[in-house]
């Protein structure tokens, strides 16, 4: 067989995708309680489902036709109105917004539009697994800023200054955060924007969980003075509309960035998903989005979050974590238990699945600062199964102590 690209040989496969495959296989063998994945467990709004089904019946060819690379202008106009309403920021829907096939594609296209070989990208550690490998695939290098549970996983601008240099091309900020549930402070964003202006680097603001907050909203980076011309914002419909399988999101940024991203997308995925765009046009109509988020999504997830927090404190008293301000996850420091058990976080997670049929994600997958931690999502299971899952984890640990 002819040789494969050395570029792909150096890329590490997504551990979250491997866990998803393992979980699919494990479900066939017994009663699996999953605290592993990050997909919403709620169906999308019924009005959206009914509208799309009716559209498919009445205009099937139109519903599955190719579209423009930047996406439907009707949807981009609705997005612009929505962002103005929620965050008081203005975007030109023709020039500064592009629909993408999920936030994952948006991240890759944004990095592809700005990176040269040897450029450095600064990431928070721990952070989402989907940043470092695309940076490396595109010839860039990664620098890390550590955050700790003792500091509520909040990044410190002084730590950022230690790794920023003339080689820095971008800083990736995810808020609300995966895996920690942290929402960054306005002070940090303000200081980050000042630093970006001083060193002339981009801020890639990953806002895929922007509406999944349980108190204060995340600071909107573009709204800060001096940020607009150097910020690329990644958004997704997967979390707020519960449509992860449609793989639909959008990116906002300066017109020059969107144009460069469009050039890449033409040869990566051609155009965004048409049925998903049709569905999301309906999502923005008649107050559907607001009702769905305020009456179903946030109350359901808040209840599950609060219960899991209570159970962690009760059944895992030696674990350390913080109450997530947003997103779907607890990032739990299990080092006191793991040291007593003689296990690392990956072995613990593997054996927990085998022994107790509970899925958690090893913290090491999210960076060196995640060693000895596990990520547990609270959105995948109803309350009674959350309680049963935490009890199973406690029983598994107790059998070793």
């Amino acid at each position: 067989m002819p040789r494969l690209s050395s570029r792909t040989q150096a890329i590490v496969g997504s551990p979250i995708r491997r866990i998803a495959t393992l979980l699919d296989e494990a479900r066939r063998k017994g009663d699996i309680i999953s605290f592993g994945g990050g997909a919403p467990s709620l169906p999308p709004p019924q009005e959206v489902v009914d509208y799309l089904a009716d559209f498919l019946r009445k205009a099937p060819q139109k519903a599955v036709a190719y579209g423009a690379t930047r996406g439907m202008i009707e949807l981009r106009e609705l997005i612009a109105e929505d962002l103005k309403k929620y965050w008081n920021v203005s975007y030109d829907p023709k020039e500064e917004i592009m629909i993408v096939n999920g936030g994952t594609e948006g991240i890759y296209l944004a990095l592809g539009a700005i990176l040269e070989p040897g450029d450095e990208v600064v990431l928070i550690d721990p952070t989402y697994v989907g940043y470092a490998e695309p940076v490396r695939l595109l010839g860039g290098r990664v620098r890390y800023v550590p955050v700790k549970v003792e500091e509520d996983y909040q990044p410190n601008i002084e730590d950022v200054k230690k790794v920023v240099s003339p080689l820095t091309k971008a800083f990736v900020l995810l808020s609300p955060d995966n895996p920690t549930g942290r929402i960054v402070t306005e002070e940090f964003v303000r200081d980050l924007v000042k630093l970006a202006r001083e060193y002339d680097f981009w801020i890639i603001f990953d806002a895929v969980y922007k509406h999944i907050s349980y108190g204060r909203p995340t600071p909107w980076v573009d709204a800060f003075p001096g940020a607009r011309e150097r910020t690329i914002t990644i958004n997704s419909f997967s979390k707020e509309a519960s449509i992860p399988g449609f793989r639909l999101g959008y990116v906002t940024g300066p017109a020059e960035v969107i144009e460069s991203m469009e050039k890449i997308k033409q040869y990566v995925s051609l155009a965004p998903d048409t049925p998903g765009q049709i569905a999301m046009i309906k999502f923005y109509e008649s107050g559907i989005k607001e009702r769905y988020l305020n009456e179903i999504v946030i109350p359901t997830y808040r209840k599950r979050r609060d219960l899991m927090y209570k159970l962690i404190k009760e059944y895992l008293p030696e674990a350390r974590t913080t109450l997530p301000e947003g997103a779907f996850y607890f990032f739990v420091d299990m080092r006191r238990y793991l040291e007593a058990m003689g296990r690392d976080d990956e072995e613990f997670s593997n054996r927990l699945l085998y022994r107790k049929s509970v899925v958690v994600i090893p913290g090491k997958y999210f960076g060196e600062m995640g060693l000895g931690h596990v990520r547990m999502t609270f959105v995948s299971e109803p309350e009674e199964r959350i309680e049963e899952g935490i009890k199973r984890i406690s029983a598994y640990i107790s059998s070793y102590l």
Side-chain angles (χ1 to χ4, degrees):
M1 183 177 73
R3 289 185 299 173
L4 298 175
S5 165
S6 59
R7 184 184 304 109
T8 60
Q9 301 306 302
I11 296 298
V12 178
S14 169
I16 306 300
R17 292 291 88 205
R18 290 202 299 269
I19 289 290
T21 301
L22 179 63
L23 182 57
D24 284 341
E25 296 173 354
R27 281 197 183 102
R28 305 174 188 174
K29 302 177 182 178
D31 180 29
I32 303 294
I33 294 178
S34 175
F35 297 151
S41 60
L42 299 171
Q46 190 60 46
E47 301 99 315
V48 172
V49 174
D50 293 341
Y51 176 79
L52 181 58
D54 189 55
F55 197 105
L56 283 163
R57 283 192 293 266
K58 292 180 177 178
Q61 186 176 11
K62 184 177 180 181
V64 298
Y66 283 132
T69 300
R70 293 194 183 193
M72 295 179 179
I73 187 60
E74 303 96 318
L75 180 55
R76 286 184 277 151
E77 289 172 346
L78 289 168
I79 289 169
E81 293 174 9
D82 188 71
L83 292 171
K84 178 66 175 178
K85 171 183 175 180
Y86 278 97
W87 312 103
N88 196 30
V89 287
S90 298
Y91 302 94
D92 181 343
K94 293 182 179 179
E95 303 294 333
E96 298 178 320
I97 299 175
M98 184 168 75
I99 312 298
V100 292
N101 290 323
T104 301
E105 185 187 51
I107 291 164
Y108 184 82
L109 295 177
L111 290 168
I114 66 173
L115 285 185
E116 300 283 2
D119 285 345
E120 293 185 351
V121 177
V122 179
L123 307 179
I124 292 173
D125 180 8
T127 195
Y128 173 60
V129 301
Y131 305 133
E133 296 307 319
V135 169
R136 296 183 181 111
L137 183 61
L138 292 163
R141 295 183 291 186
V142 179
R143 302 293 301 275
Y144 291 101
V145 174
V147 294
K148 302 175 182 178
V149 65
E150 296 88 350
E151 299 167 356
D152 296 330
Y153 299 112
Q154 287 289 347
N156 187 311
I157 197 65
E158 297 304 318
D159 292 330
V160 178
K161 290 178 180 178
K162 294 175 184 177
V163 299
V164 166
S165 76
L167 295 177
T168 303
K169 192 60 166 289
F171 183 102
V172 180
L173 178 64
L174 171 58
S175 180
D177 182 56
N178 172 8
T180 68
R182 170 206 65 236
I183 292 176
V184 293
T185 65
E186 289 192 7
E187 179 184 10
F188 177 79
V189 176
R190 189 174 293 109
D191 290 340
L192 179 64
V193 172
K194 290 179 182 178
L195 197 63
R197 295 181 67 184
E198 179 182 351
Y199 282 88
D200 195 28
F201 61 78
W202 291 95
I203 299 173
I204 297 179
F205 174 35
D206 191 337
V208 299
Y209 294 97
K210 61 183 179 295
H211 287 300
I212 312 300
S213 66
Y214 310 103
R216 67 183 180 94
T218 187
W220 198 259
V221 176
D222 291 21
F224 285 74
R228 181 62 183 275
E229 64 270 19
R230 61 183 66 256
T231 302
I232 306 167
T233 303
I234 313 297
N235 293 272
S236 171
F237 291 109
S238 295
K239 317 302 182 183
E240 62 198 55
S242 302
I243 58 160
F246 271 126
R247 308 308 308 126
L248 201 69
Y250 57 96
V251 178
T252 64
E256 296 83 356
V257 172
I258 298 300
E259 182 179 4
S260 294
M261 293 175 62
E262 181 183 23
K263 291 176 182 178
I264 302 171
K265 182 173 173 60
Q266 291 171 351
Y267 301 104
V268 172
S269 60
L270 187 63
D273 176 84
T274 298
Q277 292 183 83
I278 293 168
M280 289 303 93
I281 288 173
K282 183 65 177 179
F283 183 62
Y284 282 121
E285 292 181 359
S286 306
I288 292 173
K289 174 181 175 177
E290 288 73 20
R291 290 195 301 273
Y292 182 65
L293 286 169
N294 295 331
E295 298 176 13
I296 298 175
V297 174
I298 300 303
T300 300
Y301 293 162
R302 186 197 306 275
K303 185 177 181 182
R304 295 178 184 179
R305 178 200 68 157
D306 293 347
L307 175 62
M308 181 174 276
Y309 187 65
K310 173 180 175 292
L311 293 168
I312 289 172
K313 294 297 183 183
E314 181 178 355
Y315 288 97
L316 302 170
E318 295 299 312
R320 296 188 298 171
T321 191
T322 60
L323 183 66
E325 294 182 281
F328 292 170
Y329 316 99
F330 282 92
F331 201 55
V332 186
D333 182 348
M334 299 287 287
R335 283 176 289 184
R336 294 177 184 176
Y337 291 122
L338 298 181
E339 289 170 4
M341 297 171 69
R343 299 279 185 264
D344 64 19
D345 50 271
E346 183 163 28
E347 187 175 11
F348 171 84
S349 301
N350 291 340
R351 289 176 178 264
L352 179 66
L353 173 59
Y354 179 73
R355 300 288 186 186
K356 293 294 184 179
S357 297
V358 177
V359 177
V360 298
I361 304 296
K364 64 181 288 187
Y365 292 170
F366 301 93
E368 289 189 10
M369 295 301 294
L371 292 171
H373 295 64
V374 296
R375 192 194 74 175
M376 298 194 293
T377 184
F378 50 85
V379 304
S380 296
E381 301 284 5
E383 285 81 359
E384 65 273 12
R385 285 175 63 81
I386 289 175
E387 182 169 3
E388 173 62 21
I390 298 297
K391 287 181 177 179
R392 289 186 191 182
I393 295 172
S394 177
Y396 172 66
I397 291 172
S398 297
S399 69
Y400 279 84
L401 303 180

